[in-house]
Amino acid sequence: MTHTVTLIPGDGIGREVAAATRRLVAATGVTIEWEEVSAGLQAFNRSGNPMPDDTVASIRRNRVALKGRILTPVGKGYESPNVRLRKELNLFAAVRPIKSQPGVPSRYRDVDLVIIRETTEDVYAGIEHRVVPGVVQSLKITTATACRRVIRFAFEFARAHGRKQLTLVHKANIMKQSDGLFIRCGEEIARDFPDVTFKTIIADNACMQMVRYPEQFDVLVAQNLFGDLLSDLGAGLVGGISAVYGLLRDDSDIHVFEAIHGLAHELEGQGVANPLTFIRPAVELLRHLGEGDAASAIDRSIAATLEAGIKTRDLGGEASTEGFVDALIARLG
């Protein structure tokens, strides 16, 4: 069977690790027709639009995509193409599994939790303006509709994956109306899921508790900003960018699997970037496509390769991007 998948290599090392990932996937015997489109800096330089309409249309048509990290300029420049993509396709939920991976050095063992982040509102709505010179106001947008939607998604995710606890992250002690609404929506929806324990935790305490005792968490649900911060903190718990991936979901059947870290401009063109940043989401893409055997083969190959000491520079090894993929392919058997 041939699968058609939208491919967005992204900026920085994106093209290099995307090409390496395609070679690995092909070696499993799975046939994918990659519909490659652009986004980010390259697209902006070519057309003035960092998230071209044909890129969005491709994902809407194929219903599944593999996406690299896309550059958003800091403090100036164009609107975040990631935010625009989420708005255009109503990708309201970001799923970020945080799980210890064999062979990846980290400070913890046996971490296994999932962060679900609302992606359409909060301060990431990007609504800000200058009140007077020297005073800028950014608005935190919170609606009951978006809160209920992502919280229900999180409960359904927990139930579907056999997880027994959902923790809602908030700052309602300060933002009593916006985050208070988030909590009330959580308490309301929790009544429909008696099999899932429901808890709440203040955001700053959630950060401390994740670092001290990550094993106490199962699924966490948060609004946009806190979800983003917790996702990066979680990646640090399990060894960094080579151990994590992201999934963006709408309320129907669009799935965008994404590398959530790894622009690494300083490594461009050197052939030494770690391709796991792109391979991890590609593995979950394969599972979504019904190619579970191929996905599991890659997982086993990654573990065997890392445990054999074959690693890229960021993990303390000397392997090149292509050399690392060669080693993965050799162990697919």
Side-chain angles (χ1 to χ4, degrees):
M1 178 178 182
T2 299
H3 308 279
T4 302
V5 176
T6 299
L7 175 65
I8 306 174
D11 292 312
I13 59 171
R15 292 198 172 278
E16 298 171 53
V17 294
T21 299
R22 289 178 62 168
R23 187 161 70 88
L24 175 62
V25 171
T28 68
V30 175
T31 303
I32 294 182
E33 181 179 327
W34 299 100
E35 190 172 292
E36 186 170 330
V37 292
S38 64
L41 184 60
Q42 185 180 63
F44 180 77
N45 289 338
R46 187 179 67 249
S47 67
N49 184 351
M51 184 55 67
D53 293 340
D54 60 346
T55 297
V56 177
S58 175
I59 300 174
R60 186 175 283 120
R61 179 173 59 252
N62 295 327
R63 316 303 289 176
V64 62
L66 178 61
K67 168 184 166 294
R69 182 79 185 275
I70 298 174
L71 175 67
T72 299
V74 178
K76 59 182 180 179
Y78 50 76
E79 175 194 13
S80 167
N82 295 297
V83 170
R84 185 183 165 204
L85 178 66
R86 295 165 192 160
K87 290 179 180 177
E88 290 278 347
L89 296 176
N90 198 26
L91 301 169
F92 69 90
V95 181
R96 302 285 176 83
I98 307 297
K99 186 174 182 178
S100 300
Q101 300 293 332
V104 178
S106 66
R107 296 180 182 274
Y108 300 85
R109 295 184 178 182
D110 301 323
V111 175
D112 185 7
L113 59 92
V114 178
I115 298 167
I116 295 177
R117 164 190 170 198
E118 202 286 324
T119 63
T120 66
E121 294 191 335
D122 201 1
V123 294
Y124 282 35
I127 302 174
E128 56 183 9
H129 62 277
R130 188 180 70 168
V131 181
V132 295
V135 179
V136 174
Q137 184 179 54
S138 293
L139 301 182
K140 174 183 171 75
I141 307 300
T142 304
T143 67
T145 297
C147 290
R148 291 190 183 107
R149 181 171 60 178
V150 75
I151 293 169
R152 184 168 294 279
F153 176 92
F155 269 110
E156 290 174 347
F157 179 95
R159 175 179 282 174
H161 292 82
R163 293 180 177 266
K164 300 302 182 183
Q165 178 180 289
L166 178 69
T167 303
L168 182 148
V169 182
H170 67 90
K171 193 66 178 173
N173 56 326
I174 303 299
M175 293 172 282
K176 299 181 185 298
Q177 294 194 47
S178 57
D179 285 35
L181 174 61
F182 193 50
I183 289 179
R184 290 193 297 275
C185 290
E187 292 170 340
E188 169 193 321
I189 294 170
R191 292 192 287 269
D192 296 335
F193 296 86
D195 53 318
V196 180
T197 301
F198 177 66
K199 297 183 177 182
T200 65
I201 188 170
I202 294 175
D204 42 333
N205 187 29
C207 293
M208 180 180 70
Q209 295 298 330
M210 277 184 64
V211 172
R212 293 187 69 198
Y213 308 113
E215 67 275 6
Q216 69 184 285
F217 295 111
D218 201 353
V219 178
L220 298 97
V221 62
Q223 291 178 279
N224 216 334
L225 176 59
F226 296 151
D228 194 9
L229 299 177
L230 290 173
S231 295
D232 280 24
L233 189 156
L237 298 181
V238 295
I241 64 175
S242 62
V244 293
Y245 72 94
L247 166 63
L248 294 172
R249 285 293 314 277
D250 70 342
D251 53 9
S252 59
D253 64 342
I254 293 179
H255 292 66
V256 178
F257 297 86
E258 60 177 352
I260 55 178
H261 302 281
L263 286 170
H265 293 291
E266 69 279 6
L267 301 181
E268 283 185 69
Q270 298 180 42
V272 297
N274 186 344
L276 285 176
T277 57
F278 221 91
I279 291 171
R280 296 285 186 198
V283 169
E284 299 310 313
L285 165 69
L286 288 172
R287 287 199 171 91
H288 170 68
L289 295 175
E291 303 288 356
D293 289 345
S296 295
I298 294 176
D299 273 340
R300 290 192 296 269
S301 175
I302 292 172
T305 300
L306 294 177
E307 288 171 351
I310 303 172
K311 303 176 181 180
T312 49
R313 291 181 186 178
D314 60 308
L315 295 178
E318 298 180 354
S320 66
T321 304
E322 294 301 324
F324 184 73
V325 172
D326 287 341
L328 293 179
I329 293 173
R331 290 167 172 78
L332 278 177

